[in-house]
């Protein structure tokens, strides 16, 4: 007979779960499990009302274990840890069971099967919870300094923000000058500010702050230590190159983006008069009056959208994401052309117009100024050719807004609206162990709840290195990273997850295999009672568990996911449902 007192709360998720899983049947099936003293269903377990009910049950029923069966742990682990803490229960005696992504959403055609699976999953969660023990976070002191990698608009703004809070900053920029893409731009949307002036303003502010140190022609090539007390190695590529080391409490990565470069012949690229959006922007910014291309005044322009974005999966290295900022940038470019003075016919050939939010007004203004917008189907993109007789470019498109009418448009320029692509940062990724998404941009822990944090404690991402963003969005994310970083550094200490590896020195005979396996350098050899054994640096260990199966003596276990807990979970999954 179990002596534990466990509460189980099963979420309907407003029908996301209960439409495909019989949650009442799950509650009945697990309510009699040994150790379970409370079993309830709720419309939304994450709602304030249900959280208060869970707190009340924990306190009134004197619960020493909590199981919440709802959505992904990625979404609400911290929510229910806080619920446990508010009720006086150790937050590591709570288990999150995912019966939404792993059950209801994946078995929408089999409610009976999904229900049986949910029962097994919840049983496994209960089995793990029975073997939990109270754990305490590891507390580490933090160095009140930050390293910012990337000196574009996001990196510069982050540096100023950190400085103003009282955090010293080391900013590392790979190029000879700071400023990034924005430093090369003229007029930008939505307020017609000049990109060069924006960067000049930021640079002026940086120079006023003595606690910001800038390294240009420099790269981060090494990182050691742990969250709150990292030692970063910076290589400065002067002649000859030199390396220096700095101690910092956190790292903000703002390395920006690259732009898609079309292949030869893609939408006519390589032909005289076919240019990319960045090339067109340079032409515009350098033109004082009406736009001129190779000595001739431009009278007709065709813009082709989604070049290098939203590609089909079968395209090699396909960029399947929407690059997001391009529609706004193209529409703004057309308004800039109009503002130059001469009458220009402008044709926008798009798949879907995504001038979102307040930028929708740019789209309206562009139409009011005379731009024509033609919609093409994803499987029938425009074709670009040169007319041998006139020498001009011809763009052929089937306009979906006029029932697929085929149009041949003679133009002087074709502008390919190319999107953002991830910048190649192989050495930095390897050094900082940065996580990357399927699209090869850096990946945050959670896009809604932890949008600038990474799985590497104390390493944050911001700006277009984590996905396409315009400059305003990049600055907003940079300030979010400043807030997250400074919140830890100003406090002076940080609490790290206790779910890390632990060594039983009586079992360990030090063979070194765990040290060879650990990708984070968290294992070291120490002497205990005259014998060499392995020791885990809890501030460095990420709790991946990779070392556990390599130990021939079974001397290493993972707190929170011990061998005994995992075996109990498997037993809970396999037990027949009566």
């Amino acid at each position: 007979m179990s002596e534990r007192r466990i509460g189980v709360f099963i979420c309907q998720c407003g029908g996301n779960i209960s439409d495909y899983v019989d949650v009442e049947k799950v509650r009945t099936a697990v309510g009699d499990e040994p150790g379970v003293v409370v079993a309830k269903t709720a419309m939304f377990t994450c709602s304030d009302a249900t959280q208060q009910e869970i707190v009340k049950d924990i306190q009134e029923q004197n619960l020493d274990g909590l199981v919440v069966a709802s959505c992904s742990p990625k979404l609400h682990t911290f929510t229910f840890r806080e619920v446990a803490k508010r009720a006086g229960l150790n937050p590591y005696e709570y288990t999150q069971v995912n019966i939404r992504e792993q059950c209801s959403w994946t078995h929408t055609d089999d409610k009976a099967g999904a229900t049986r699976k949910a029962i097994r999953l919840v049983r496994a969660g209960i089995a793990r919870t029975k073997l939990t023990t109270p754990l305490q976070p590891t507390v580490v002191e933090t160095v009140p300094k930050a390293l910012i990698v990337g000196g574009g608009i996001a990196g510069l703004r982050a540096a100023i923000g950190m400085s103003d809070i009282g955090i010293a900053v080391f900013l590392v920029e790979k190029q000879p000058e700071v400023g990034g893409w924005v430093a090369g731009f003229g007029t930008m949307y939505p307020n017609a500010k000049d990109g060069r002036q924006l960067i000049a303003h930021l640079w002026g502010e940086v120079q006023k702050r003595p606690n910001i140190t800038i390294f240009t022609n420099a790269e981060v090539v090494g990182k050691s230590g742990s969250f709150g007390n990292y030692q970063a190695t910076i290589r400065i590529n002067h002649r000859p190159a030199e390396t220096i080391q700095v101690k910092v409490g956190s790292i903000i990565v703002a390395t920006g983006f690259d732009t898609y470069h079309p292949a030869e012949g893609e939408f006519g690229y390589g032909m005289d008069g076919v240019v990319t959006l960045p090339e067109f922007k340079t032409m515009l910014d350098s033109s004082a009056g009406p736009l001129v291309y190779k000595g001739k005044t431009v009278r007709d322009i065709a813009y082709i959208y989604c070049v290098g974005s939203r590609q089909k999966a079968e395209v090699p290295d396909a960029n399947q994401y929407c690059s997001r900022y391009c529609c706004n940038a193209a529409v703004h470019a057309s308004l800039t052309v109009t503002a130059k003075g001469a009458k220009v016919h402008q044709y926008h050939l798009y798949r879907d117009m995504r001038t979102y939010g307040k930028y929708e007004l740019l789209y309206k203004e562009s139409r009011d100024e005379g731009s024509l917008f033609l919609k093409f189907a994803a499987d029938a993109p425009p074709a670009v050719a040169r007319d041998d007789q006139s020498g001009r470019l011809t763009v052929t498109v089937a306009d979906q807004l006029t029932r697929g009418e085929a149009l041949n448009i003679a133009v002087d320029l074709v502008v390919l609206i190319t999107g953002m692509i991830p910048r190649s940062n192989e050495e930095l990724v390897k050094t900082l162990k940065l996580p990357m998404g399927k699209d090869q941009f850096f990946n945050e822990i959670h896009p809604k709840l932890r949008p600038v944090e990474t799985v590497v404690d104390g390493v944050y991402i911001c700006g277009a290195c984590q996905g396409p963003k315009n400059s305003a969005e990049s600055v907003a994310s940079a300030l979010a990273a400043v807030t997250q970083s400074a919140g830890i550094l100003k406090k002076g200490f940080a609490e790290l997850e206790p779910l890390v590896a632990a060594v039983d020195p009586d079992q360990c005979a030090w063979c070194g295999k765990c040290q060879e396996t650990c990708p984070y350098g968290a294992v070291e050899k120490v002497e205990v009672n005259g014998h060499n054994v392995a020791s885990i640096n809890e501030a460095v260990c990420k709790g991946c568990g990779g070392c556990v199966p390599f130990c021939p003596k079974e001397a290493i276990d993972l707190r929170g996911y011990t061998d005994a807990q995992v075996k109990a979970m498997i037993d809970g999954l396999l037990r027949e449902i009566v």
Side-chain angles (χ1 to χ4, degrees):
M1 179 69 72
S2 171
E3 296 179 353
R4 298 296 297 261
R5 296 182 61 80
I6 297 171
V8 180
F9 297 86
I10 304 158
C11 187
Q12 300 178 34
C13 200
N16 271 293
I17 294 173
S18 56
D19 284 354
Y20 309 103
V21 172
D22 187 337
V23 294
E24 190 58 34
K25 193 170 183 177
V26 176
R27 186 196 67 78
T28 302
V30 304
D32 294 332
E33 288 286 306
V36 174
V37 296
V38 174
K40 292 183 176 180
T41 63
M43 181 60 73
F44 292 103
T45 52
C46 59
S47 69
D48 288 344
T50 305
Q51 288 186 37
Q52 291 172 12
E53 184 179 348
I54 295 173
V55 169
K56 184 180 177 185
D57 282 336
I58 291 172
Q59 294 174 335
E60 290 185 351
Q61 299 294 329
N62 196 27
L63 301 182
D64 61 5
L66 173 65
V67 175
V68 177
S70 56
C71 50
S72 167
K74 193 173 181 180
L75 191 61
H76 278 311
T77 289
F78 289 95
T79 301
F80 294 110
R81 278 187 185 170
E82 290 302 314
V83 169
K85 285 173 67 176
R86 293 206 301 273
L89 176 67
N90 186 282
Y92 297 97
E93 293 189 292
Y94 136 76
T95 299
Q96 179 73 23
V97 177
N98 185 354
I99 60 169
R100 191 177 71 176
E101 285 87 342
Q102 293 181 354
C103 201
S104 67
W105 280 2
T106 49
H107 304 290
T108 54
D109 58 341
D110 183 7
K111 187 168 185 175
T115 301
R116 288 195 298 274
K117 183 177 178 180
I119 292 171
R120 291 176 185 272
L121 291 171
V122 178
R123 278 180 178 171
I126 295 169
R128 173 183 179 268
T129 306
K130 285 180 188 174
L131 299 178
T132 55
T133 56
L135 298 173
Q136 300 300 327
T138 301
V139 178
V140 296
E141 293 184 0
T142 55
V143 177
K145 298 177 182 178
L147 173 67
I148 297 177
V149 187
I153 190 169
L156 291 173
R157 189 62 187 89
I160 294 168
M162 293 294 281
S163 170
D164 288 346
I165 294 173
I167 306 292
V169 173
F170 301 102
L171 190 149
V172 176
E173 167 56 47
K174 201 170 185 178
Q175 300 300 318
E177 304 287 341
V178 298
W181 283 93
V182 175
F185 290 157
T187 303
M188 298 171 63
Y189 69 89
N191 52 6
K193 293 291 185 182
D194 186 286
R196 294 179 288 258
Q197 293 178 3
L198 285 175
I199 294 301
H201 171 73
L202 290 176
W203 179 239
E205 293 298 314
V206 166
Q207 290 181 307
K208 295 176 185 175
R209 291 162 171 80
N211 61 349
I212 300 177
T213 304
I214 305 281
F215 300 99
T216 54
N217 277 322
E219 301 172 79
V220 177
V221 295
K223 176 180 77 76
S224 59
S226 59
F227 174 37
N229 192 7
Y230 286 123
Q231 181 162 294
T233 303
I234 301 169
R235 182 177 65 215
I236 304 171
N237 298 312
H238 293 320
R239 190 180 299 171
E242 62 173 323
T243 60
I244 63 168
Q245 294 189 328
V246 296
K247 284 196 170 186
V248 295
S250 67
I251 301 172
I252 297 176
V253 178
T255 50
F257 67 98
D258 276 329
T259 185
Y260 179 78
H261 190 81
E264 187 77 13
E266 186 176 359
F267 292 103
Y269 191 66
M271 297 171 61
D272 198 22
V274 180
V275 299
T276 64
L277 178 59
E279 292 165 348
F280 184 63
K281 183 84 170 101
T282 300
M283 291 167 55
L284 273 179
D285 292 341
S286 60
S287 172
L291 191 61
V292 175
Y293 180 72
K294 295 200 171 178
K296 295 182 179 178
T297 301
V298 175
R299 300 294 184 189
D300 304 278
I301 303 174
Y303 303 89
I304 300 178
Y305 288 62
C306 290
V307 176
S309 302
R310 304 173 70 194
Q311 294 173 310
K312 296 180 180 178
E314 53 266 31
V315 173
D317 301 321
N319 300 319
Q320 294 182 270
Y321 55 85
C322 168
S323 188
R324 204 164 173 269
Y325 89 106
C326 333
C327 289
N328 295 324
V331 169
H332 176 258
S334 71
L335 288 170
T336 306
V337 170
T338 301
K340 295 288 182 182
K343 177 64 177 176
V344 180
H345 301 105
Q346 300 188 76
Y347 307 90
H348 298 254
L349 281 52
Y350 67 96
R351 283 177 59 180
D352 299 292
M353 186 51 60
R354 294 178 172 175
T355 48
Y356 52 91
K358 65 179 68 173
Y359 307 125
E360 183 77 6
L361 297 178
L362 292 174
Y363 175 42
K364 180 179 184 303
E365 185 180 352
S366 180
R367 286 183 300 169
D368 292 344
E369 293 288 349
S371 280
L372 294 178
F373 287 81
L374 311 172
K375 179 178 173 62
F376 64 85
D379 57 356
V384 180
R386 183 168 301 282
D387 187 303
D388 292 336
Q389 291 186 334
S390 66
R392 302 184 75 196
L393 294 166
T394 300
V395 181
T396 303
V397 61
D399 179 23
Q400 300 301 299
L401 302 180
T402 54
R403 299 185 179 182
E405 181 180 357
L407 301 172
N408 294 317
I409 306 168
V411 296
D412 304 307
L413 272 180
V414 172
V415 182
L416 305 183
I417 309 304
T418 47
M420 292 181 180
I421 61 172
R423 175 162 287 176
S424 177
N425 284 304
E426 291 183 10
E427 188 169 1
L428 186 66
V429 169
K430 186 177 178 182
T431 300
L432 300 184
K433 297 181 171 55
L434 286 168
M436 299 168 70
K438 291 181 180 177
D439 55 13
Q440 300 301 302
F441 286 101
F442 294 146
N443 210 10
E444 64 281 335
I445 288 180
H446 193 285
K448 293 178 182 176
L449 304 179
R450 303 174 71 183
V452 295
E453 297 173 67
T454 73
V455 294
V456 184
D457 295 319
V459 177
Y460 305 92
I461 52 177
C462 65
C465 69
Q466 65 177 139
K469 288 183 176 66
N470 62 31
S471 56
E473 293 162 344
S474 294
V475 167
S477 68
L479 295 178
V482 168
T483 302
Q484 289 294 309
S485 181
I488 297 296
L489 301 187
K490 292 295 286 185
K491 193 164 63 175
F493 66 92
E495 294 183 344
L496 304 182
E497 285 280 341
L499 305 176
V500 297
V503 177
D504 181 349
D506 294 332
Q507 293 289 329
C508 180
W510 181 251
C511 62
K513 290 184 178 178
C514 53
Q515 190 179 54
E516 296 170 6
T517 306
C518 180
Y520 303 104
V523 183
E524 55 188 7
K525 181 173 66 175
V526 299
E527 186 176 310
V528 175
N529 298 327
H531 298 284
N532 288 331
V533 299
S535 177
I536 305 296
N537 184 336
E538 296 182 3
V540 177
C541 179
K542 302 302 176 190
C544 70
C547 55
V548 174
F550 284 89
C551 180
K553 298 288 187 181
E554 298 185 354
I556 306 181
D557 223 339
L558 194 61
R559 291 178 186 151
Y561 293 92
T562 63
D563 281 354
Q565 286 177 305
V566 173
K567 289 174 182 175
M569 292 172 72
I570 294 171
D571 290 341
L573 286 168
L574 295 179
R575 191 152 49 88
E576 289 298 324
I577 299 171
V578 180

